[in-house]
Amino acid sequence: MKINVEITKKAFVHNKLKIEDLNEKELVQKMLIRRRLSRSSRILINLAHKCDFTAGVMVYGSAYGELIDTVNILEAIKNNDMVSPSAFQNSVYNTAASYHSIVHGNTSEILTLSCGDETSYNVMQQAALSLLKEDEVFVCVVEAMNFDGVDSLNKCANELEYGISFVLKQSEKEVNVIVQNKIQKGVPSSLSWMKNLYDLCENNDGCVVEVEL
């Protein structure tokens, strides 16, 4: 089964090391919540704001999840230190999407996927499936990997903070872009398909792509 999906809004942020202009103080006014945000949460909230998304169905993806907090937990265990309650709370894969829901009071369905290098395409597949019963779906993929010691593991020279988001709707319009999942320098493999789609749609306000379920 194939579904034509139209991209109505899009956003993209990235940095080789750390994104500096996520605007958390304005977007998350409650200081207690803001202080607890993971890096992925900050990136997602920024992307959602750029797409004017506050409430509705969301499909969120990340191959590595909350890697920074997970590393902090493992370091604490290794050093026989107390595990940070915030790190423990933030270590699950749906952390970023959940914080966005808390900030905006979103009670709609949220799905979180982690599928290795296929993460961004599988997020689009799930979103297309959701569009069979929803008018609009917000999708977002994020990787935040800037933890101490990452240089010894990051053999692919990927940028350490990366996020892409779209607002989608089902469309009867003809497909006008075809995605070829080309490897791009610096782009985490898990975000590659969606980054290629973003590039095709960057200057196209009526971008329609076919998604096969």
Side-chain angles (χ1 to χ4, degrees):
M1 182 177 181
K2 298 178 180 179
I3 298 175
N4 288 4
V5 173
E6 182 174 356
I7 295 171
T8 61
K9 295 177 183 177
K10 54 188 176 292
F12 167 50
V13 293
H14 68 111
N15 191 280
K16 183 177 180 180
L17 297 176
K18 183 178 181 181
I19 302 166
E20 298 292 348
D21 54 347
L22 293 174
N23 204 20
E24 304 99 315
K25 288 186 178 180
E26 179 181 335
L27 300 180
V28 184
Q29 296 185 359
K30 292 185 177 180
M31 185 176 65
L32 182 61
I33 296 176
R34 188 170 65 244
R35 290 178 60 187
R36 294 185 176 185
L37 294 176
S38 66
R39 287 301 298 171
S40 297
S41 303
R42 296 169 195 269
I43 295 170
L44 184 151
I45 289 170
N46 180 272
L47 289 168
H49 174 73
K50 290 180 176 178
C51 286
D52 298 318
F53 175 80
T54 55
V57 175
M58 178 193 300
V59 183
Y60 171 72
S62 177
Y64 300 105
E66 299 298 334
L67 193 56
I68 297 170
D69 286 293
T70 302
V71 168
N72 289 339
I73 291 171
L74 293 174
E75 285 288 342
I77 294 172
K78 174 186 174 183
N79 297 326
N80 293 317
D81 293 334
M82 181 180 294
V83 173
S84 163
S86 293
F88 182 77
Q89 174 182 305
N90 287 353
S91 63
V92 294
Y93 269 82
N94 65 337
T95 293
S98 297
Y99 273 122
H100 178 272
S101 296
I102 291 169
V103 170
H104 293 287
N106 184 19
T107 58
S108 298
E109 180 182 65
I110 293 174
L111 297 171
T112 302
L113 301 180
S114 179
C115 312
D117 290 351
E118 303 298 320
T119 295
S120 64
Y121 183 66
N122 286 352
V123 164
M124 288 292 292
Q125 284 184 310
Q126 180 57 56
L129 185 61
S130 297
L131 284 171
L132 295 176
K133 58 185 179 67
E134 302 290 342
D135 295 331
E136 185 177 88
V137 175
F138 174 75
V139 299
C140 184
V141 287
V142 172
E143 301 298 354
M145 304 178 284
N146 191 9
F147 60 88
D148 290 341
V150 68
D151 289 343
S152 64
L153 301 175
N154 187 25
K155 304 300 184 183
C156 300
N158 289 333
E159 295 191 23
L160 297 181
E161 292 199 341
Y162 224 97
I164 307 169
S165 63
F166 298 123
V167 176
L168 310 173
K169 68 177 183 180
Q170 190 173 358
S171 179
E172 299 298 328
K173 298 178 183 178
E174 292 186 4
V175 171
N176 54 27
V177 295
I178 298 175
V179 180
Q180 295 181 348
N181 196 17
K182 299 179 294 185
I183 296 173
Q184 297 190 46
K185 183 178 179 180
V187 181
S189 298
S190 56
L191 278 65
S192 177
W193 193 91
M194 200 175 283
K195 178 57 168 58
N196 281 289
L197 175 59
Y198 183 93
D199 291 345
L200 291 170
C201 300
E202 188 171 11
N203 299 312
N204 183 352
D205 292 332
C207 188
V208 180
V209 63
E210 182 181 80
V211 179
E212 185 170 1
L213 301 180

